[in-house]
Amino acid sequence: SSAAMAALRGRALLAPLGARLRAGPRAPLRSAASAPPLYDVVVSGGGMVGSAMAAVLGHDIHFHDKKIALLEAGPRKEYNHMPDSYSNRVSSISPGSATLLSSCGAWDHVCSLRLKPFRRMQVWDACSEAMIVFEKDDLDDMGYIVENDVIMSALTKQLDAVADRVEVFYRSKAVGYTWPLPSHSCDASPWVQVELADGRRLQTKLLIGADGHNSVVRKEAEIKNIEHQYDQSAVVATLHLSEATDNNVAWQRFLPTGPIALLPLSDTASSLVWSTSHDHASELLAMDEESFVDSINSAFWSNINHSDFIDTAGAMFRSAISLLKPSGTAVRQLPPSVAKVDPESRAMFPLGMGHAAEYVQHRVALIGDAAHRVHPLAGQGVNLGFGDIACLAHHLSAAAFNGSDLGSLKHLLKFETERQRHNVSLIAATDVLKRLYSTTLAPLVLLRTWGLQATNALPPVKVRI
Amino acid sequence: QLSLFRFTVKRPFSTSHSSVDSKEMKKFQLLAHKWWDEEGEYAALHSMNDIRVPFIRDTLLSMSSNYHLGNPLSGIKILDVGCGGGLLSEPLGRLGASVTGIDPVEDNIRTADQHKSFDPVLAKRIQYKSSSLEEIVEESMETFDVIVASEVVEHVADLEMFIKCCSQVLKPEGSLFITTINKTQLSYVLGIVVAEKILGIVPEGTHEWEKFVPPEELQRLLESSGFSVKTVNGMLYNPLSGSWSWVESTSLNYAVHAVKSGARAQSHATDTPPETDIQQHSATAGTAG
């Protein structure tokens, strides 16, 4: 019965928190005079997500008198105007992410550099005629295709604007972290100690890990990561279309080897993201430009993977739907054909998925790819990271306005719960889709064919997506 | 009246003429090192910050016209009476206030001093002193803009004297914030039996039901000492979620905001009913040196 009483105690329900307070190597006690500079927040990793985190906090009114540091291993990236050619690393930015970038003033810079809004997304199968079209009823944009360099440049400008609060350390790699003991053991420093490659040291009340899918912060915090390497690589390139067109549609076709996507950059150019086997990816990189362009066109236009059985079954299902719901089948548009590829723009990188078991610990929070890594097929990667930022910044802002200790698990756990709830279902769904579309087995093709057609016909489901 | 106070100052910890109760002091001495364990004995006090800090902050913001971005309480001098390990002093300091925290238990002050020492901003904004309220009255007449006495009045020996001392160290029109526990059957059952003996939310023996203060009694004492009570709010602790919320009923815990009458009584004519005004006049006449 004493166990039952212990179970009733409010404290017992909080007991799992005890495991989040790591007894790491003790931080040596220093006198105030020799102590390394103390920051309220240190963001480790100056990519799009890390830089945006620092910029958003720097523009928060409740952080007006706080000290933030951003650690980036690479050099400063800024453009006043873009080079004529497009970069081959682009992201699909959702309207929600655009709002976040707006909130720290970066979206204006993006618009003045360059971006391409798109109104429609057509996703279809290589093994059947099944197709789903996403389109917004109102005249708003569905999303924007933006080069990663453009986003970085915009964020750099906005970080400059709050330089009195945010100190950016370029060419500064963090090489070691020392975690504090739980706050009630009084005699050692309660802060996280950060050691840089050049020997400099910083202390911080909250460390935010935005250092990518091989996160050092996550590894040093000994946070378990569920990860899986897909046996796929993504091939990226900048393509020129055969003829100028409105080009405000994003195209994605699921081939048995992986999805191929064409993301609009301008009326005459599009960005390629082709996820396929490692071998095929190497072939694509090695072949001459003409063959490469032929492969792309064939991937989008060829019906070689269709089987009569599937085609018939699909057509029957479509007739059934059009009886029940006459508007449930959309007009299939034809993707543009490609004429040329930008020389030097072809590149490949391996794909994998990952999810951290915990996003937070005492004085530590993970955001972006450090917390979760997805397949590009859903175009969600960086948007999940921006969603993490919006949520964490909201909780940190409230904590600052309450005078709370920024590194306290109490509000960090609220961030973790909200984001895990949102992210896990999306990451799982993306993983399932990837596996579902990686096969030519008839039953599974039929399932996804009917599923895609049904989803296309049902407005409520489409809106949710 | 004043000479009695002077006499008292020279006799620290006297149970009959001081607001400090030595038995109460001993209880807190044993737990002095446990203040900052957020999941330990003081977990409920830590989570009380989630409602008492916004209450203090928003009340003060609504009364002032200045706003310093990032430091909403900048320029405000606050006295935290019975500050313990500094659980409430630190958030108030982080919001920009200059805080003086006093507590009769030396070990508490030691813990508080050590905890703030690692943060240079807090180390400058907060000063701790091992002292009772009476001991600082002489040197601190009308010094503070705000006094907070959170979870304290249910431990003091002489509540009337405690309130009079608060009035003395508070500037005219200064604010007094009190959080405490009501004296009801419900507070005996939930506040002592369940909270201390069954769920262990509060260390056993912390509270004595006899010393709990009903809000009507507190209000009476405040108004007879020259305060105008502006707000009384009930508070409720949920042991399952470990969090506090505001409730209608004051049968258990409650918070009070009171304002010391200004030098010119007319400035309060619109807020206070006529009879209170007359009471304040006679109270100030009685204690004026």
Side-chain angles (χ1 to χ4, degrees), chain A residues 8-11 13-14 17-18 21 29 38 61-62 64-65 183-184 186-191 205 400-405 408 410, chain B residues 33 36-40 46-47 50 53-54 57-58 61 67 69-72 91 94-95 114-115 118-120 198-200 239-240:
Chain A
L8 278 177
R9 282 166 188 249
R11 259 186 292 150
L13 290 170
L14 294 176
L17 280 181
L21 308 175
L29 180 64
L38 173 65
I61 52 168
H62 300 309
H64 190 269
D65 283 4
S183 53
H184 54 277
C186 314
D187 46 350
S189 167
W191 316 125
K205 301 176 188 174
F401 193 44
N402 282 349
S404 303
D405 177 349
S408 164
K410 213 133 52 92
Chain B
H33 56 290
W36 288 99
D37 180 0
E38 280 187 29
E39 284 105 54
H46 276 277
S47 66
D50 292 342
V53 173
R57 174 197 74 206
D58 292 342
L61 279 176
Y67 185 79
L69 277 184
N71 281 307
R94 277 193 205 101
L95 291 178
Q114 186 174 57
H115 196 265
F118 294 105
D119 185 337
I198 298 183
L199 292 184
L240 292 177

Side-chain angles (χ1 to χ4, degrees), chain A residues 181-335:
Chain A
L181 291 175
S183 53
H184 54 277
S185 52
C186 314
D187 46 350
S189 167
W191 316 125
V192 177
Q193 313 289 321
V194 182
E195 189 178 341
L196 302 180
D198 60 6
R200 277 183 298 180
R201 290 174 164 268
L202 313 172
Q203 300 188 89
T204 181
K205 301 176 188 174
L206 173 65
L207 173 69
I208 298 181
D211 46 350
H213 66 260
N214 284 321
S215 167
V216 174
V217 173
R218 186 188 68 224
K219 290 185 186 146
E220 296 253 326
E222 290 180 12
I223 292 176
K224 271 222 274 271
N225 192 42
I226 302 158
E227 53 187 50
H228 176 80
Q229 303 306 323
Y230 293 127
D231 48 10
Q232 281 190 345
S233 284
V235 172
V236 294
T238 308
L239 306 173
H240 294 276
L241 307 178
S242 307
E243 49 186 46
T245 166
D246 270 341
N247 206 14
N248 52 17
V249 180
W251 309 94
Q252 178 151 286
R253 194 180 197 195
F254 282 99
L255 307 173
T257 47
I260 179 170
L262 213 55
L263 307 172
L265 288 172
S266 73
D267 287 348
T268 54
S270 287
S271 187
L272 173 78
V273 183
W274 190 346
S275 308
T276 184
S277 69
H278 297 306
D279 288 338
H280 186 217
S282 309
E283 274 175 41
L284 286 169
L285 246 55
M287 58 175 69
D288 61 272
E289 291 181 9
E290 261 194 54
S291 313
F292 182 68
V293 166
D294 285 342
S295 308
I296 296 171
N297 284 324
S298 157
F300 273 109
W301 291 75
S302 141
N303 284 337
I304 204 168
N305 285 300
H306 287 207
S307 80
D308 288 335
F309 168 63
I310 298 287
D311 278 351
T312 316
M316 274 170 43
F317 194 67
R318 234 184 356 267
S319 331
I321 290 184
S322 55
L323 274 176
L324 297 167
K325 205 175 187 314
S327 62
T329 55
V331 177
R332 172 194 293 276
Q333 269 192 314
L334 299 171

Side-chain angles (χ1 to χ4, degrees), chain B residues 59-267:
Chain B
T59 305
L60 295 176
L61 279 176
S62 71
M63 288 165 56
S64 103
S65 47
N66 293 331
Y67 185 79
H68 299 254
L69 277 184
N71 281 307
L73 300 185
S74 171
I76 299 182
K77 290 184 70 174
I78 303 185
L79 175 67
D80 184 1
V81 184
C83 63
L87 265 60
L88 182 50
S89 299
E90 288 203 3
L92 294 175
R94 277 193 205 101
L95 291 178
S98 300
V99 184
T100 302
I102 62 170
D103 196 283
V105 178
E106 265 186 49
D107 286 340
N108 286 348
I109 296 298
R110 205 170 298 139
T111 301
D113 262 328
Q114 186 174 57
H115 196 265
K116 72 155 193 181
S117 68
F118 294 105
D119 185 337
V121 168
L122 286 185
K124 245 185 16 196
R125 286 197 189 141
I126 307 176
Q127 304 307 320
Y128 291 114
K129 211 167 148 180
S130 172
S131 162
S132 70
L133 180 56
E134 297 84 346
E135 283 166 349
I136 63 157
V137 164
E138 257 195 44
E139 74 219 25
S140 318
M141 297 292 284
E142 299 202 346
T143 305
F144 297 101
D145 300 296
V146 177
I147 298 181
V148 302
S150 181
E151 305 304 298
V152 162
V153 301
E154 68 267 24
H155 298 287
V156 305
D158 184 339
L159 184 53
E160 188 166 1
M161 187 159 86
F162 180 86
I163 292 176
K164 284 203 186 335
C165 291
C166 285
S167 179
Q168 288 181 300
V169 302
L170 201 53
K171 289 183 187 160
E173 296 184 45
S175 280
L176 172 61
F177 292 91
I178 292 176
T179 77
T180 188
I181 309 178
N182 196 350
K183 188 176 178 182
T184 58
Q185 279 189 335
L186 195 62
S187 71
Y188 181 74
V189 172
L190 292 183
I192 299 209
V193 176
V194 175
E196 288 187 15
K197 301 191 199 303
I198 298 183
L199 292 184
I201 298 165
V202 177
E204 192 159 348
T206 298
H207 289 128
E208 282 173 44
W209 186 78
E210 280 305 315
K211 295 171 87 173
F212 285 174
V213 185
E216 304 77 29
E217 163 91 359
L218 185 58
Q219 186 152 353
R220 186 185 64 76
L221 287 171
L222 284 168
E223 288 178 354
S224 70
S225 298
F227 284 95
S228 161
V229 174
K230 300 291 185 188
T231 315
V232 179
N233 273 335
M235 298 159 59
L236 185 67
Y237 182 67
N238 179 340
L240 292 177
S241 65
S243 64
W244 288 88
S245 52
W246 295 111
V247 291
E248 278 283 335
S249 159
T250 55
S251 331
L252 283 172
N253 297 71
Y254 64 96
V256 171
H257 170 234
V259 173
K260 175 178 170 179
S261 68
R264 288 178 297 281
Q266 286 94 319
S267 59

Side-chain angles (χ1 to χ4, degrees), chain A residues 43 45-57 70 72 101 104 151-152 155-156 158-159 166 168 170 210 367 386 389:
Chain A
V43 180
M48 288 190 285
V49 172
S51 301
M53 182 85 243
V56 167
L57 287 179
L70 174 65
E72 165 54 28
L101 291 172
C104 67
I151 298 176
M152 276 312 307
L155 289 171
T156 304
Q158 284 312 97
L159 286 169
V166 183
V168 186
Y170 290 106
I367 56 174
F386 287 139
I389 294 172

Side-chain angles (χ1 to χ4, degrees), chain A residues 360-393:
Chain A
V360 301
Q361 269 187 8
H362 181 56
R363 300 204 185 286
V364 182
L366 299 176
I367 56 174
D369 282 4
H372 42 71
R373 181 189 183 197
V374 292
H375 194 283
L377 71 85
Q380 287 311 302
V382 79
N383 294 311
L384 286 183
F386 287 139
D388 292 343
I389 294 172
C391 181
L392 182 57

